[in-house]
């Protein structure tokens, strides 16, 4: 089967180099403070992800890393933007709260209208946007980090319908570990990460979704970045790469072993700026 509709769209991203990346606290089940991170390797792998996105024609802005904020490399968590409006993060854990301020500085300096969430929310970690699904739909996760009250708040800030999805497996604590936008209207997800009711809702709205299994999700195969044609995933997610290829996309694998130690992969490291 051929899919001529799988066309890439140029994107603008924000990333933050893992210069101060460590695992010195554990706020998700993947983090093990007893295992040292290879800092040099983390930077090398991050650089390759950045150049991969650049080589595909995308614009990548870089946020200055701040000492003492070891999770800042997971730039997806700082905000969520749709149609040029920005809904700023408010982190659940105090260890990460200052990251929100750094992201606010970036959006202010770049002239984006910014509303900082009063409710706990972790940006694109728990929000995804599908501009062509149902006229523009936000998918939002809750259960571990983002407060469900933030979903209503985001809807008011962004003026797009926000669909709440209940995450139930602590291994998949952010929406972006369990669900990904493959293009402007299609998603991939791992059903087992969601409550039975949320699984029914996803099945109803996205009957043509690419379904991942638990092994795909554990390989962070859903923590992907797609431009509508190229799907960037980490090298461990081989089976997920095959699944997106079967669905007409082009998998591009990058090695990100070090970022997995903090409980993240490709998508966590890349925030999309939607003008
Ligand atoms: N150590 C970070 C945390 O637990 C990882 C964040 C991963 N980011 C993401 N978008 N899923 O908060």
């Amino acid at each position: 089967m051929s899919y001529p509709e799988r066309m890439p769209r140029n994107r603008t991203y924000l990333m933050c180099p893992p210069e101060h990346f460590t695992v010195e606290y554990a706020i998700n089940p993947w983090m093990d403070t007893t295992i040292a991170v290879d800092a040099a390797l983390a930077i090398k792998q991050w650089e390759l992800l950045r150049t991969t996105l650049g080589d595909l024609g995308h614009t990548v802005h870089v946020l200055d890393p701040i000492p003492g904020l070891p999770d800042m490399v997971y730039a997806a968590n700082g905000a969520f933007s749709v149609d040029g409006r920005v809904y700023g993060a408010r982190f659940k854990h105090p260890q990460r709260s200052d990251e929100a301020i750094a992201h606010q500085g970036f959006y202010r300096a770049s002239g984006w209208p910014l509303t900082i969430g009063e409710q706990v929310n972790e940006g694109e970690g728990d929000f995804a946007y599908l501009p062509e699904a149902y006229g523009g739909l936000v998918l939002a996760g809750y259960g571990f980090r983002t407060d469900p009250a933030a979903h209503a708040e985001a809807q008011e800030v962004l003026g797009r319908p926000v669909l709440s999805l209940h995450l139930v497996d602590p291994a998949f604590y952010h929406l972006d570990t369990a669900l990904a936008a493959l293009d402007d209207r299609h998603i991939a997800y791992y059903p087992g990460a969601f409550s039975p009711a949320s699984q029914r809702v996803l099945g109803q709205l996205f009957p043509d979704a690419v379904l991942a299994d638990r092994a795909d999700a554990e390989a962070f195969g859903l923590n992907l970045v797609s431009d509508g044609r190229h799907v960037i995933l980490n090298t461990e997610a081989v089976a997920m790469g095959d699944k997106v290829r079967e669905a007409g996309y082009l998998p591009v694998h990058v090695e990100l072993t070090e970022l997995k130690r903090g409980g993240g992969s490709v998508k966590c490291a890349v925030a999309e700026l939607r003008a």
Side-chain angles (χ1 to χ4, degrees), residues 27-28 31 71 74 76-77 96 125 145 173-174 176 262-263 268:
I27 56 174
N28 70 57
M31 299 174 87
D71 273 336
Y74 304 108
N77 298 129
R96 298 197 66 189
R145 298 291 180 88
Y173 58 95
H174 271 146
D176 72 2
C268 299

Side-chain angles (χ1 to χ4, degrees), residues 78-225:
F80 175 56
S81 64
V82 170
D83 303 328
R85 294 192 187 90
V86 184
Y87 178 56
R90 184 174 296 273
F91 284 85
K92 173 165 181 171
H93 296 100
Q95 295 96 326
R96 298 197 66 189
S97 58
D98 283 353
E99 293 180 43
I101 299 164
H103 283 264
Q104 290 159 23
F106 171 83
Y107 289 101
R108 287 212 179 90
S110 318
W112 292 67
L114 167 73
T115 305
I116 302 164
E118 281 176 21
Q119 307 298 334
V120 167
N121 82 87
E122 299 198 346
E124 288 200 322
D126 275 323
F127 289 103
Y129 185 54
L130 296 161
E132 283 179 25
Y134 306 98
L137 180 66
V138 175
L139 302 182
Y142 73 94
F144 297 101
R145 298 291 180 88
T146 296
D147 192 302
H151 298 181
E153 190 178 49
Q155 179 165 288
E156 285 305 304
V157 171
L158 302 170
R160 292 285 178 192
V162 175
L163 182 79
S164 286
L165 298 166
H166 191 184
L167 295 162
V168 294
D169 184 331
F172 311 112
Y173 58 95
H174 271 146
L175 182 71
D176 72 2
T177 64
L179 181 149
L182 292 171
D183 57 30
D184 289 346
R185 68 178 87 219
H186 297 106
I187 62 168
Y189 68 98
Y190 165 50
F194 297 92
S195 70
S198 291
Q199 290 181 37
R200 280 200 298 280
V201 169
L202 285 167
Q204 178 184 329
L205 295 184
F206 299 99
D208 54 0
V210 174
L211 295 184
D213 61 23
R214 192 179 176 87
D216 296 322
E218 284 182 342
F220 277 80
L222 290 159
N223 199 249
L224 60 83
V225 167

